[in-house]
Amino acid sequence: MAEVTDSMAHAPISSEKFDLSVEQVSLHFETPNGVLKAVDEVSFGVETGRFVGLVGPSGCGKSSLLLMMAGLQKATFGDIIVEGEPLTGPRPQDVGVIFQESSLLPWKTASENVEFPLALRGVDKAERKQLATDMLKLVGLSGFEDRHPFELSGGMKQRVSIARGFCQDPRILLMDEPFAALDEQTRMTLGDELLRIWEGHRKTVVFVTHSLTEAVYLCDDVIVMSAQPGRILERIEIDLPRPRTYETMATADFGRLRDRIWRLIRGSE
Amino acid sequence: MLSSSYRVLVQAGIVLILLGLWEAAVFSGLADTRTLPPPSEIAIHIVALLGDQDVLYNLWITSAQVGLAFLIVAPVGVAIGLLLGEHEYIGRAFRPFFYFLAGVPKSVFLPVFILTFGIGFTQKVAFGIFQAIFVLVISAIAAVGSVSPTLIKVARSYGANRWQLYSQIFLPAMMPVVIEGMRLGMIFNITGVVFAEMYVARAGIGHMIATWGMSFQMPQLFAGIFLTAFLSIAVNEVLRWYERRVDKWRK
């Protein structure tokens, strides 16, 4: 990963300590019953290298917020500042997205899928093939480079998605419930894998999930949102030591944090 | 559970039985040999026609017209369908024209094509294109609707521009549906070309069939019908083979 920096070197960030900053962002929809405030005046910042989770009941606007941070959805009001500049559209060198399941191009092989973002940027075929092979190895899929998605299990497909997200080497990675469609066991394994890769590359991560356990296990901070209007209830720091393991989940601190988030969400409904 | 070789055997048997019944009907006097020659005689004429330079030339002309029309109409039809299906404003403005015109019988336009393009090769190609384009455009519009919005989001998040979205996401994702439309379009295309040949032409298998029909050469007429059928089936099978290749990932 570190080898990919040359052509996409980043301008030094000035005094800005946030990689990503969401400022007074609202997303309103006109409906026959009036204005729906999917996201309502949400502000938060994400410091460099931090793993931040977004949780909340369905309809709290966490996925919409993520789309806006990816530059795929225009905010009705407010700004999203990435590395000091307001976002006006997708900025793949800075922000990468890992989507929910079935986001792989089904007609391309695992390797071609990982190469896809690089191919769009015109990276040389041999170079991107090498990078994809390395990334697939990192997510434990060596030997599966030439398989098509229909020949892979759900967990393997999501590993390819993760490899694709990391392969283009953005500073910020947004993940939209990447493990939602997986079974519990695969979800746990992939969570550990994700942490392992992240420890190695220290991307700034925003991770949307509806699993509180997953949020507490993975994140440095968890932002808890309420639905209609989609607002931030509280930002909770997860001060559990890293590296976290399966045993971490059995500790009293872990239970206490998850419990606190649960009460916040339930109380808002 | 029938194995595929067993199935082919059964199907071949059915065809043989039908041909046998036909043959028997003619020889028992049940059918009139003047209007319905026996299959054995037709088979002899098919072999004879396939050895006739003149017939081969006319078959080649028809194939060339159909092939050229397809090479033009396939990309053009898909491109128009993609634009009409994907581009909101252009789509809303122009889609109705295609839906309305698709329902009009194309054969009534044949005299216009003759007056515009004459009675030669160009007119046949143009009429084949005209016959096929509507079904192709409409199937391409439907194909656009079958493209997963997630894949579009993925490509946009990686910075794909409009051209890259079309070529890297829409076209490959549309292929399984589009290829169905191409098969339909091909049928319309062959129908158009052969029909135009039968109406007025100097060459082509349709022209020969019309001539044999008018001069009561029934065995040749039936042999020509079979040859045209073989040609269409061959074309359809090639497209189906391609479809299976393209469709591999859609499981």
Side-chain angles (χ1 to χ4, degrees), chain A residues 51-121:
Chain A
F51 201 126
V52 175
L54 277 177
V55 300
S58 5
C60 71
K62 53 192 194 292
S63 283
S64 302
L65 199 51
L66 192 112
L67 286 182
M68 291 191 280
M69 288 188 267
L72 292 172
Q73 166 85 58
K74 242 179 126 58
T76 315
F77 303 109
D79 277 319
I80 293 180
I81 315 283
V82 171
E83 314 214 354
E85 275 189 51
L87 208 58
T88 53
R91 220 193 281 163
Q93 292 91 328
D94 295 330
V95 185
V97 192
I98 294 175
F99 288 94
Q100 297 178 22
E101 94 287 6
S102 69
S103 72
L104 298 180
L105 311 185
W107 55 87
K108 285 186 186 285
T109 63
S111 175
E112 288 166 346
N113 263 290
V114 178
E115 291 170 44
F116 180 61
L118 303 172
L120 286 180
R121 285 219 298 270

Side-chain angles (χ1 to χ4, degrees), chain A residues 15-258:
Chain A
S15 58
E16 194 63 76
K17 70 168 179 161
F18 295 125
D19 258 3
L20 173 74
S21 149
V22 174
E23 296 179 358
Q24 292 285 309
V25 164
S26 296
L27 180 65
H28 294 179
F29 294 111
E30 301 282 351
T31 72
N33 307 322
V35 175
L36 174 76
K37 297 179 174 179
V39 176
D40 194 35
E41 296 191 6
V42 165
S43 299
F44 64 89
V46 182
E47 289 113 323
T48 305
R50 218 157 161 86
F51 201 126
V52 175
L54 277 177
V55 300
S58 5
C60 71
K62 53 192 194 292
S63 283
S64 302
L65 199 51
L66 192 112
L67 286 182
M68 291 191 280
M69 288 188 267
L72 292 172
Q73 166 85 58
K74 242 179 126 58
T76 315
F77 303 109
D79 277 319
I80 293 180
I81 315 283
V82 171
E83 314 214 354
E85 275 189 51
L87 208 58
T88 53
R91 220 193 281 163
Q93 292 91 328
D94 295 330
V95 185
V97 192
I98 294 175
F99 288 94
Q100 297 178 22
E101 94 287 6
S102 69
S103 72
L104 298 180
L105 311 185
W107 55 87
K108 285 186 186 285
T109 63
S111 175
E112 288 166 346
N113 263 290
V114 178
E115 291 170 44
F116 180 61
L118 303 172
L120 286 180
R121 285 219 298 270
V123 176
D124 170 66
K125 173 85 190 161
E127 186 185 341
R128 62 179 202 244
K129 180 123 194 125
Q130 186 56 51
L131 279 168
T133 308
D134 294 346
M135 272 325 297
L136 284 169
K137 188 175 174 200
L138 192 66
V139 296
L141 283 182
S142 278
F144 291 91
E145 290 87 353
D146 296 326
R147 300 284 186 93
H148 283 85
F150 69 84
E151 299 169 297
L152 300 172
S153 69
M156 289 160 107
K157 278 188 260 196
Q158 217 42 42
R159 282 169 196 265
V160 177
S161 284
I162 292 170
R164 182 173 65 181
F166 275 89
C167 192
Q168 50 170 352
D169 202 30
R171 279 178 76 99
I172 302 164
L173 263 182
L174 309 175
M175 304 192 197
D176 187 12
E177 305 202 34
F179 308 144
L182 305 176
D183 59 79
E184 180 76 19
Q185 200 184 330
T186 314
R187 172 186 275 253
M188 292 280 304
T189 319
L190 274 187
D192 281 334
E193 297 263 328
L194 178 62
L195 280 186
R196 178 177 60 79
I197 298 167
W198 175 73
E199 305 270 2
H201 298 284
R202 282 287 166 170
K203 304 270 176 217
T204 304
V205 174
V206 178
F207 190 98
V208 168
T209 178
H210 59 246
S211 160
L212 304 188
T213 307
E214 194 170 78
V216 175
Y217 187 63
L218 297 175
C219 298
D220 295 318
D221 294 285
V222 173
I223 294 173
V224 186
M225 295 183 68
S226 68
Q228 281 164 20
R231 278 190 187 139
I232 292 182
L233 291 173
E234 206 174 321
R235 178 175 184 151
I236 296 171
E237 193 180 348
I238 309 296
D239 46 7
L240 301 170
R242 291 186 190 270
R244 295 175 192 164
T245 62
Y246 183 70
E247 282 69 36
T248 314
M249 284 191 219
T251 61
D253 283 344
F254 191 95
R256 180 179 50 77
L257 283 161
R258 190 177 52 189

Side-chain angles (χ1 to χ4, degrees), chain A residues 67 70-72 90-92 95-97 99 101-108 116-117 119-121 148 150 161 164-165 168, chain B residues 147-148 150-161 164-165 167-174 246-251:
Chain A
L67 286 182
L72 292 172
R91 220 193 281 163
V95 185
V97 192
F99 288 94
E101 94 287 6
S102 69
S103 72
L104 298 180
L105 311 185
W107 55 87
K108 285 186 186 285
F116 180 61
L120 286 180
R121 285 219 298 270
H148 283 85
F150 69 84
S161 284
R164 182 173 65 181
Q168 50 170 352
Chain B
V147 178
S148 149
T150 307
L151 299 185
I152 299 163
K153 263 194 293 187
V154 167
R156 282 185 55 216
S157 80
Y158 295 143
N161 57 36
Q164 285 171 325
L165 266 183
S167 63
Q168 307 273 320
I169 303 293
F170 276 102
L171 281 181
M174 283 162 65
V246 169
D247 213 19
K248 192 178 59 167
W249 51 264
R250 210 170 57 152
K251 285 181 182 167

Side-chain angles (χ1 to χ4, degrees), chain B residues 224-244:
Chain B
I225 290 173
F226 272 96
L227 284 180
T228 312
F230 294 152
L231 180 70
S232 319
I233 292 169
V235 166
N236 197 44
E237 285 306 304
V238 169
L239 282 173
R240 274 200 5 181
W241 167 80
Y242 185 61
E243 180 178 8
R244 277 195 296 274

Side-chain angles (χ1 to χ4, degrees), chain B residues 94-185:
Chain B
F94 291 102
R95 265 186 306 233
F97 292 109
F98 276 85
Y99 291 134
F100 290 143
L101 273 175
V104 179
K106 309 300 171 299
S107 42
V108 299
F109 292 93
L110 187 53
V112 179
F113 277 78
I114 293 169
L115 293 174
T116 311
F117 296 103
I119 61 164
F121 195 91
T122 315
Q123 176 244 344
K124 305 297 178 295
V125 173
F127 196 63
I129 292 172
F130 181 64
Q131 281 271 4
I133 195 154
F134 296 95
V135 65
L136 257 167
V137 167
I138 286 169
S139 81
I141 291 172
V144 169
S146 75
V147 178
S148 149
T150 307
L151 299 185
I152 299 163
K153 263 194 293 187
V154 167
R156 282 185 55 216
S157 80
Y158 295 143
N161 57 36
R162 200 175 192 88
W163 168 245
Q164 285 171 325
L165 266 183
Y166 281 173
S167 63
Q168 307 273 320
I169 303 293
F170 276 102
L171 281 181
M174 283 162 65
M175 249 358 224
V177 178
V178 157
I179 205 101
E180 280 288 326
M182 284 187 182
R183 277 174 54 199
L184 279 173

